Amino acid sequence: MKRHLLVADLEATCTNSEEFPRHEMELIQFGAVMIDMDDYSVVDKFDYYVKPILHPKMTYFCEELTGITDEILEEKAISMGEFCNKLNKDLKKYKGQYRWAAWGAFDKRFLMENLRQRKMSNNYPFHNIDYLNLSAIFKDIQGIKRKMGVKRAMAKCGLEFEGRQHNGYDDAYNTARMLPWILPKRAQR
């Protein structure tokens, strides 16, 4: 059993109209926490903003949903290549002895697809790292039939969401807070 789990959440450019097609959504934020699975404590934090190329201006809908503005991206965002290099460098100290996870399957597929579209598949930061779909595990353990979002799942665990929903770091942190209900110690062995 690997001792660390990287719980991540990605935010993407988005629109609620036909300003651009869904397949042109781009990564704009990668938030994550590294969790020590022995005691569920946060041992590291990651929060990167990534410059969108196809649609560099945030839509009103996306700004309202995520809180990510053009100004935030101008000030903090780095290129996709820089993001991959920084993340790989920051994760190096864990020597591949971790798994990564997110709430659902979207984040993994989305990151891989964004890198493929930019012809950067070799930069994928999680080669040979196991992925856990925490939403699917939670549904199985809790005996839930329907898909449920992070906030509803937290309520089922008796937890309140902290921070802003649809902020990559806040979503990752809150997802990690549910780990005792998703991956209880007895299930980790």
Side-chain angles (χ1 to χ4, degrees):
M1 174 67 189
K2 294 189 176 166
R3 185 174 148 214
H4 291 102
L5 181 66
L6 182 74
V7 179
D9 186 76
L10 282 61
E11 298 302 327
T13 55
C14 54
T15 180
N16 64 346
S17 65
E18 295 182 14
E19 291 175 63
F20 56 84
R22 189 169 172 81
H23 71 270
E24 290 183 2
M25 291 170 55
E26 297 176 272
L27 176 67
I28 53 173
Q29 186 187 18
F30 179 97
V33 289
M34 186 65 82
I35 302 297
D36 182 328
M37 292 303 290
D38 288 339
D39 62 4
Y40 302 109
S41 63
V42 175
V43 294
D44 219 338
K45 301 174 183 181
F46 308 93
D47 195 9
Y48 307 99
Y49 290 90
V50 180
K51 290 178 190 168
I53 295 171
L54 297 174
H55 304 283
K57 293 285 182 204
M58 293 292 93
T59 64
Y60 175 78
F61 174 78
C62 194
E63 282 187 2
E64 289 295 304
L65 181 68
T66 66
I68 299 171
T69 63
D70 290 329
E71 292 75 28
I72 288 171
L73 292 177
E74 286 171 24
E75 181 185 325
K76 298 181 178 183
I78 55 180
S79 72
M80 181 69 89
E82 289 173 290
F83 156 68
C84 290
N85 290 339
K86 274 185 98 129
L87 183 59
N88 281 321
K89 183 180 175 200
D90 290 345
L91 293 173
K92 199 173 217 137
K93 64 184 162 193
Y94 297 99
K95 299 180 175 122
Q97 296 302 305
Y98 66 94
R99 295 178 293 170
W100 84 286
W103 191 259
F106 171 82
D107 297 84
K108 179 182 180 183
R109 281 195 318 260
F110 180 72
L111 180 57
M112 292 175 79
E113 181 60 22
N114 258 229
L115 289 168
R116 188 194 64 71
Q117 286 174 343
R118 294 182 186 195
K119 298 180 181 7
M120 297 176 68
S121 294
N122 290 342
N123 293 46
Y124 180 65
F126 303 113
H127 288 293
N128 302 313
I129 302 293
D130 294 333
Y131 178 79
L132 299 177
N133 176 336
L134 297 176
S135 173
I137 296 168
F138 183 77
K139 273 177 49 183
D140 288 347
I141 286 177
Q142 299 293 324
I144 299 167
K145 303 272 187 249
R146 303 179 336 166
K147 209 165 119 175
M148 120 179 351
V150 170
K151 194 171 181 181
R152 259 189 60 220
M154 290 186 76
K156 191 156 179 60
C157 298
L159 301 170
E160 286 189 34
F161 193 93
E162 295 177 11
R164 180 189 176 108
Q165 275 190 286
H166 303 294
N167 170 286
Y169 176 79
D170 290 346
D171 284 353
Y173 171 73
N174 282 287
T175 299
R177 291 177 56 217
M178 291 188 287
L179 287 173
W181 289 268
I182 301 169
L183 296 172
K185 294 206 182 297
R186 67 183 178 280
Q188 293 181 43
R189 308 223 184 280

